[in-house]
Amino acid sequence: MIAERDAEDLIAEAAAAPVDGWGFDWLAGRATEERPPWGYAQLVADRMARADAALDVDTGGGEVLAEVPRPPKLLTATEAWPPNVEVARRTLRRVGASVVAVAPDGPLPFRDASFDLVVSRHPVRTDWVQTARVLRPGGTYLSQQIGAGTMRELSEAILGPLPPPAQQHPEQAAAAAEAAGLRVIDLRRATLRATFCDIGAVVWFLRKVIWTVPGFTVDRYRAPLGELHRRIADEGPFVAHAQRFLIEAIRP
């Protein structure tokens, strides 16, 4: 049984495992997370089937975009994390998408009104002014985003008590979209149960989802990791909650 293995063995295994791309297959059998009720991948597929030119911002390893059954004639993705760029290029060959490496927080390197659809799953940051600029009149922006306080229980298990989250609230995103000249037509939120069955799953997740514990390293947080391992051994899987919201906006 994984949960019965020594903490150091589990931590070492997770610390050595690759975290490139944006897939979570390594956690199979070790962690679970509920999916949002709106079905983001299907929403993207539906809108891609009606688009002529589409852009996926912060594509990760291209995992979501690669599953689009009817891609548009022009399909482009951006990615800022260098290890993911080559992963995305390999993954997205099947749908004929080009992948553009961009600088974090830099402008979108495209002409005004280049796309009639822009999508983004879990963007690091949404530049609403740039998004509005590259959309054609009548174009759509669709995004599933990380909500305020996501995985707060896990963050506090490692860091201790935290202040209430000040950013990533859905209402803030909607206000920023409207301020950039977009019109929000859909805004939904969901709280999703996540479970971690062993400390290795926790370590791998924290290495991959870096905003949960900024600056995370095993050596820096070995003491709270040990405490959490003992808690899982005594009480069973550790439960946290992911926050997600869906926002859809159009450029008038």
Side-chain angles (χ1 to χ4, degrees):
M1 295 289 291
I2 289 176
E4 295 175 354
R5 289 167 55 191
D6 178 77
E8 290 302 319
D9 179 38
L10 292 166
I11 290 171
E13 178 189 21
V19 291
D20 293 348
W22 201 239
F24 287 78
D25 291 348
W26 194 87
L27 293 178
R30 308 179 76 152
T32 64
E33 182 181 307
E34 292 178 323
R35 301 268 70 87
W38 46 75
Y40 176 75
Q42 186 58 55
L43 293 176
V44 169
D46 291 345
R47 284 150 183 76
M48 287 281 178
R50 303 194 297 268
D52 292 321
L55 171 66
D56 183 24
V57 176
D58 289 346
T59 195
E63 294 85 359
V64 175
L65 199 58
E67 298 304 316
V68 171
R70 289 179 290 170
K73 296 177 183 177
L74 176 65
L75 185 57
T76 305
T78 67
E79 178 55 35
W81 194 40
N84 274 352
V85 172
E86 290 306 317
V87 174
R89 285 175 176 159
R90 292 193 301 270
T91 302
L92 293 176
R93 287 185 189 131
R94 73 184 76 165
V95 290
S98 61
V99 179
V100 179
V102 297
D105 298 326
L108 292 173
F110 309 106
R111 295 179 180 177
D112 295 359
S114 293
F115 304 99
D116 50 10
L117 175 65
V118 177
V119 300
S120 189
R121 180 179 180 270
H122 303 172
V124 176
R125 182 183 69 89
T126 301
D127 188 325
W128 292 102
V129 173
Q130 286 289 308
T131 299
R133 180 184 66 78
V134 302
L135 273 174
R136 296 169 180 167
T140 297
Y141 176 74
L142 177 70
S143 179
Q144 178 175 292
Q145 305 215 355
I146 306 295
T150 193
M151 294 295 187
R152 184 180 180 87
E153 300 95 337
L154 180 55
S155 299
E156 292 192 330
I158 304 299
L159 296 170
L162 297 170
Q167 299 179 340
Q168 295 179 276
H169 293 279
E171 298 81 5
Q172 293 172 326
E178 298 277 356
L182 302 176
R183 181 164 62 87
V184 175
I185 60 173
D186 195 3
L187 186 65
R188 302 182 235 173
R189 71 199 71 199
T191 297
L192 310 166
R193 189 174 189 268
T195 62
F196 296 86
C197 297
D198 71 90
I199 198 62
V202 170
V203 168
W204 190 88
F205 182 88
L206 294 177
R207 290 179 59 226
K208 190 176 188 71
V209 188
I210 57 176
W211 53 80
T212 309
V213 177
F216 173 81
T217 66
V218 168
D219 288 341
R220 184 177 182 182
Y221 294 106
R222 192 170 293 277
L225 288 172
E227 290 294 326
L228 187 53
H229 170 74
R230 288 186 285 274
R231 179 174 171 181
I232 292 171
D234 292 342
E235 303 175 10
F238 179 79
V239 177
H241 294 86
Q243 304 296 329
R244 300 286 183 269
F245 67 90
L246 181 80
I247 184 167
E248 185 169 15
I250 60 173
R251 179 182 172 185

